[in-house]
């Protein structure tokens, strides 16, 4: 082919291209209205102190991430960094006081965003309300002690859901703002915009911000991609305010802002087609919104900003709320024991001179709060950590129970007893309402050597001298024939006590006490309120005798399909918002009566599914509709 012909072919080829292609912007171009929008760039390094690694590694992650952030602050006069979790700063204070002094200086300058105000970033659906209050109590106290100020912005971007009562708790802790990320718009489309007012049932509200897209990056300088996604998925016309936050920094395993990402942000700051970018903190963002609203309310798109969202922020990761039952049970047991111990010892210190081990109880609470970190309490961490969690809950339970028992022992020793042949039992009701509570007490049942041998006691009386129905159960040790467990129900005043007397009959015939349990078969439980029956496969039917209504019919343990991950993430072909496909049932029951007396009856129902065995003890107390 001659050169002239080749040039002609080239020209012909170029003419065949669509003319519009030359005018089409590249896929990573910003939209035309981008320069009118502003982003406050929030540098952070989300740290999971426990997830796929143990807590000891988490301590190292905190130190290395904070060191990196301080280095970036020294290198870049306009850079800012944001971090939460009082537990992290306590670790730094203990292991590197010089680093803490650096952080305190940056906090004072406004370049280190101190957010959260809580002990850790916990799961918010499982802990009790008291525990959520404790997070803020200990967290804000620690911030004030170590850094000279408290947080004003709540911060839990990785939490799986947020209860509707949370604004009330946050405001009570001095937290006026709240930053979160989940649920995302696909999980909850009712949230009006990225920035909105979130109100509790009591009327308390906070200014809330839902982080768009994600709370960090991979450190590869791809910040343009995140900004483009925010502009596309969260268009400014749907937002109440033209200024928003964009979070960046390597997270989960810590790390924070990288030099590459900072260089990419600086490059975008000089791009006339990009949004306006500036380094900032969440506190500065919320202050800017509040100041602008106060100065010129017409500048705010009132259809979004002034609307109020008055509901829970749910749902994300529904699967984790049925994962790892042990830690959820231990968490609730530890919470309850600590609350009871504090009530008993605080009032006991004033009323009967009991000891109140305040520091020990505080340390125990801090151990429980750490185990409420969202990836721990949800049951989504590495299996090895749950041994450490078991130790932490055991420490809390030991501390709380020891404090309660010693306080009650001191009270019991001050209440007079009159009969040396009797045993006396003090029963305390920790609730602020009157209650009838089941009591189990193990005593030596053989009389003193000077007496003829007989079982003891034969009568249990309340403080008024009235006989109380009781029944016996095996002792905790089967090697001692002189020990026995006695079971009775104690009717008690609110947050008060009564003394019960266990005594012999002194030769008199024991009066027969009427039982409130109706004679039954080995497959039924029944009292004046409820009737329970079990069929041969262990299915339970519950009838309310006072109304005649069947409350539960043929209930059994069923097996539901779950092909999602531990969280139940809705990201694949087996996505689940609810688990509604039954694939099996526990059947083939073996029933055994464990106890039956005037106080209660218990039936053990053992069923099977494939190679799994389930044993359930069903107990019905006399005189109780439960």
């Amino acid at each position: 082919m001659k050169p002239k012909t080749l040039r002609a072919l080239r020209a012909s080829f170029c003419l065949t291209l669509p003319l519009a292609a030359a005018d089409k912007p590249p896929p990573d171009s910003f939209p035309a209205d981008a320069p009118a929008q502003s982003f406050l760039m929030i540098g952070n390094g989300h740290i999971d102190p426990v997830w796929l690694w143990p807590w000891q590694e988490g301590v190292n992650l905190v130190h290395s991430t904070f060191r990196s952030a301080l280095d970036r602050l020294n290198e870049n006069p306009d850079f800012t960094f944001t971090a939460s979790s009082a537990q992290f700063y306590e670790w730094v204070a203990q292991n590197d006081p010089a680093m803490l002094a650096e952080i305190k200086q940056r906090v004072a300058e406004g370049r280190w965003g101190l957010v959260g105000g809580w002990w850790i970033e916990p799961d918010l659906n499982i802990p009790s309300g008291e525990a959520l209050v404790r997070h803020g109590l200990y967290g804000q106290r620690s911030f004030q002690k170590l850094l000279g100020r408290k947080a004003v912005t709540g911060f839990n971007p990785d939490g799986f859901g947020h209860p509707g009562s949370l604004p009330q708790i946050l405001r009570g802790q001095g937290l006026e703002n709240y930053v979160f990320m989940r649920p995302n718009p696909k999980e909850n489309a009712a949230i009006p915009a990225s920035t909105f007012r979130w109100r509790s049932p009591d009327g308390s509200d906070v200014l809330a911000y839902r982080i768009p897209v994600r709370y960090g990056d991979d450190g590869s300088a791809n910040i343009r991609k995140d900004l483009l996604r925010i502009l596309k998925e969260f268009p400014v016309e749907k937002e109440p305010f033209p200024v928003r936050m964009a979070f960046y920094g390597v997270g989960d395993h810590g790390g924070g802002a990288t030099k590459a990402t900072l260089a990419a942000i600086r490059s975008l700051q000089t791009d006339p087609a990009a949004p306006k970018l500036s380094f900032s903190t969440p506190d500065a963002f919320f202050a800017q919104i509040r100041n602008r609203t106060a100065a010129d309310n017409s500048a705010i798109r009132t259809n979004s900003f002034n609307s109020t969202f008055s509901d829970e922020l749910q749902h994300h990761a529904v699967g984790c709320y049925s994962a790892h039952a042990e830690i959820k049970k231990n968490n609730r047991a530890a919470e309850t024991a600590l609350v009871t111990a504090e009530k008993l010892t605080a009032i006991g210190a004033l009323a009967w001179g009991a000891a109140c081990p305040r520091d020990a109880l505080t340390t125990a609470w801090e151990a429980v709060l750490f185990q409420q970190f969202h990836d721990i309490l949800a049951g989504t961490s590495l299996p090895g950590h749950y041994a450490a969690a078991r130790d932490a809950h055991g420490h809390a339970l030991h501390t709380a129970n020891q404090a309660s028992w010693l306080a009650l022992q001191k009270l019991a020793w001050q209440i007079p007893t009159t009969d040396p042949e009797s045993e006396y039992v003090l029963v305390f009701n920790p609730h602020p309402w009157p209650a009838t509570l089941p009591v189990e007490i193990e005593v030596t049942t053989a009389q003193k050597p000077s007496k003829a041998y007989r079982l003891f006691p034969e009568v249990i009386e309340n403080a008024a001298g009235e006989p109380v129905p009781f029944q016996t159960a095996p002792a905790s040790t089967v090697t001692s024939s002189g020990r026995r467990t006695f079971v009775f129900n104690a009717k008690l005043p609110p947050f008060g006590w009564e003394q019960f007397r266990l005594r012999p009959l002194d030769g008199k015939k024991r009066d027969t006490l009427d039982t409130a349990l109706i004679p039954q078969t080995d497959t039924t439980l029944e009292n004046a309120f409820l009737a329970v029956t079990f069929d041969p496969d262990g299915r339970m039917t519950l009838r309310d005798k006072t109304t005649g209504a069947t409350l539960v019919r043929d209930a059994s343990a069923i097996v539901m399909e779950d092909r999602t991950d531990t969280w139940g993430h809705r990201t694949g072909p087996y996505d689940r918002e609810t688990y509604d496909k039954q694939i099996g049932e526990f059947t083939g029951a073996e029933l055994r009566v464990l106890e039956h007396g005037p106080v209660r009856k218990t039936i053990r129902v053992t069923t099977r599914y494939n190679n799994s065995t389930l044993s359930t003890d069903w107990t019905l107390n006399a005189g109780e509709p439960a």
Side-chain angles (χ1 to χ4, degrees), residues 361-430:
L361 291 172
T362 296
T363 300
W365 262 115
E366 290 170 355
V368 171
L369 298 182
F370 182 79
Q371 302 309 321
Q372 291 179 346
F373 181 72
H374 52 270
D375 278 319
I376 299 175
L377 191 53
T380 54
S381 289
L382 78 165
H385 176 74
Y386 291 98
R390 193 178 301 117
D391 291 343
H393 287 136
H395 163 72
L397 285 165
H398 171 74
T399 301
N401 291 335
Q402 185 179 52
S404 294
W405 277 109
L406 290 176
L408 289 175
Q409 285 284 4
K410 183 152 191 174
L411 172 63
W413 292 355
Q414 297 177 29
I415 298 175
T417 60
T418 57
D419 180 14
E421 300 297 330
S422 299
E423 293 278 356
Y424 291 85
V425 178
L426 178 75
V427 183
F428 197 99
N429 173 21

Side-chain angles (χ1 to χ4, degrees), residues 156-191:
N156 201 344
D158 211 25
F160 303 148
H162 315 262
S165 60
L166 192 57
Q168 177 183 2
I169 296 174
L170 294 170
R171 290 307 294 257
Q173 298 166 343
L175 297 164
E176 303 173 351
N177 317 303
Y178 191 59
V179 176
F180 71 103
M181 187 177 72
R182 295 166 171 151
N184 62 42
K186 291 182 179 179
E187 294 164 335
N188 190 328
I191 298 172

